[in-house]
Amino acid sequence: MIDNLDSTDRMLASVERELEKNPDSWEAQAAKADILFSLGMYGLAIRCCDRSLALNPDNVLTWVTKVAALKKLGRKEEEEAALTKAMELGYKG
């Protein structure tokens, strides 16, 4: 468990360094969203998803992360809207 947390911390630090160099990296924002989601930080994950999607609105995997985080927070209407968008982009569920 400790090793996994250390690994997650290292991944988050790496993503943060990338965002310092390139704040417009949708890939780094998406990676940060995934890490935050895995840590149970769903609100922060959604914010990173939104930043990533503002730069690349066609990234289906980020839409799926957003759907999952919205579901965890019980934000049903937003979850359904995000799922609809993900499915429009080819997500099959």
Side-chain angles (χ1 to χ4, degrees):
M1 178 72 178
I2 297 295
D3 287 337
N4 190 32
L5 186 58
D6 288 344
S7 174
T8 302
D9 287 342
R10 283 193 302 273
M11 288 187 297
L12 189 56
S14 175
V15 168
E16 290 289 354
R17 282 191 300 275
E18 177 60 29
L19 286 169
E20 285 176 17
K21 290 187 279 186
N22 184 5
D24 291 332
S25 171
W26 66 266
E27 297 98 331
Q29 287 290 353
K32 185 175 178 180
D34 289 338
I35 295 165
L36 293 171
F37 180 87
S38 74
L39 294 171
M41 303 170 109
Y42 307 121
L44 292 174
I46 291 167
R47 280 193 241 157
C48 289
C49 286
D50 288 342
R51 289 183 195 123
S52 178
L53 292 167
L55 298 165
N56 182 7
D58 295 331
N59 184 345
V60 69
L61 295 177
T62 302
W63 281 107
V64 172
T65 299
K66 184 174 180 175
V67 168
L70 290 164
K71 183 174 186 161
K72 290 284 190 180
L73 294 176
R75 292 164 55 179
K76 189 72 173 160
E77 285 183 32
E78 293 170 271
E79 174 195 346
E80 289 173 4
L83 181 57
T84 297
K85 182 63 178 176
M87 293 175 85
E88 287 172 2
L89 294 170
Y91 179 66
K92 304 286 187 217

